Amino acid sequence: MKGVSVIIPNFNCAQWLPKVIESCLMQKHLHEIIIVDDYSTDNSAEILEKIKKQNPEIIKIFKNSGKGGNNARNYGFSKSSGDYIQWLDADDFLLEGKFENQIKLFEKNPEPDIVYSDWYMDFYENEKFIKRENYRKYDYEDFLFEILSDNWSVPANYLLKRTIAQKLHKIKAWNPDTKVGQDREYFTMAALLGAKFIYVKGFFSTYNRWNINS
């Protein structure tokens, strides 16, 4: 098994990158971390090169072939080779046991295409932690209905088999022309393609809201 390819689009998230990447390196079944830099103007390049030197076999850095987060995601996928795909924004975190628990469910049940769990939303103001909200999920009979009903999850929550990620790549579900709600569109397209979603209990990702008053 080649394990998980983590694909991270980055634009000016230098201050968060070390913790984001560390949250990936702590995972079992990690195959590679692909960071696609979207022409950052901060010191992302310096930070990424330093981290890559510490993990040269796992961390792969690319410059976006176009511009924008969805172009970066598509390009990152084209460079990936893992059996599973983890989409991750450059300022969100994975938590211990994510890949281990989600892949275990895939191994027990070969039918699902995408697994999801519970997740946290953390709020910060001027880098100071303010509060945490818990988002508990369940097995849903009709996942498309849940998405359309605004019962959403962040990209970090999901783990995809490469087979469904490839189908979504072919139809450009990460649409470069979509400027907002990109992740909701992507996973809605997955449901429309007939992807089977399955739930495994546990909090395995954190979505961070920075500067909530700005």
Side-chain angles (χ1 to χ4, degrees):
M1 184 182 75
K2 287 187 177 180
V4 181
S5 292
V6 183
I7 302 174
I8 305 173
N10 172 66
F11 179 71
N12 288 349
C13 287
Q15 65 194 106
W16 314 120
L17 286 171
K19 186 172 181 179
V20 173
I21 293 173
E22 180 60 33
S23 79
C24 300
L25 291 171
M26 67 187 289
Q27 303 294 328
K28 294 182 179 179
H29 307 299
L30 175 66
H31 174 58
E32 60 189 355
I33 303 171
I34 296 173
I35 303 106
V36 181
D37 190 71
D38 192 29
Y39 301 92
S40 294
T41 56
D42 63 3
N43 63 330
S44 288
E46 178 184 347
I47 297 295
L48 288 171
E49 284 300 328
K50 181 178 179 180
I51 296 174
K52 182 178 179 179
K53 286 181 180 179
Q54 299 169 350
N55 303 275
E57 301 301 319
I58 295 177
I59 295 176
K60 303 173 183 179
I61 303 169
F62 300 95
K63 183 72 72 173
N64 196 357
S65 61
K67 188 70 177 76
N70 278 356
N71 270 317
R73 293 180 179 97
N74 289 327
Y75 188 60
F77 180 77
S78 74
K79 298 295 184 179
S80 71
S81 59
D83 294 328
Y84 302 96
I85 300 297
Q86 173 68 64
W87 302 109
L88 182 62
D89 289 344
D91 56 355
D92 293 335
F93 310 137
L94 305 181
L95 301 178
E96 186 175 357
K98 184 180 197 297
F99 297 166
E100 181 180 12
N101 284 278
Q102 293 185 336
I103 288 176
K104 187 181 296 183
L105 190 62
F106 276 135
E107 291 174 341
K108 288 181 179 179
N109 189 342
E111 293 185 5
D113 302 288
I114 301 172
V115 63
Y116 63 97
S117 299
D118 312 302
W119 55 282
Y120 298 117
M121 183 183 292
D122 286 355
F123 294 81
Y124 292 81
E125 178 61 33
N126 297 324
E127 301 184 34
K128 180 181 178 182
F129 177 77
I130 303 298
K131 64 176 181 177
R132 164 171 283 182
E133 293 180 356
N134 300 343
Y135 287 81
R136 294 187 181 276
K137 298 297 177 180
Y138 306 91
D139 265 317
Y140 301 108
E141 184 176 346
D142 187 342
F143 202 84
L144 176 59
F145 174 81
E146 297 297 328
I147 294 177
L148 295 176
S149 300
D150 205 31
N151 184 6
W152 68 290
S153 290
V154 294
N157 185 26
Y158 298 101
L159 186 67
L160 295 78
K161 286 183 177 176
R162 185 174 191 85
T163 48
I164 188 63
Q166 185 66 54
K167 291 178 182 178
L168 290 162
H169 185 68
K170 287 182 179 179
I171 64 171
K172 293 186 177 180
W174 288 121
N175 187 343
D177 295 326
T178 300
K179 304 305 179 184
V180 295
Q182 298 165 328
D183 54 323
R184 299 194 194 196
E185 180 178 62
Y186 181 87
F187 289 101
T188 300
M189 294 299 294
L192 288 170
L193 282 179
K196 183 174 181 181
F197 293 75
I198 193 168
Y199 166 79
V200 59
K201 184 178 180 181
F203 286 89
F204 299 125
S205 59
T206 302
Y207 174 69
N208 295 306
R209 293 283 304 275
W210 310 105
N211 296 322
I212 59 175
N213 294 321
S214 61

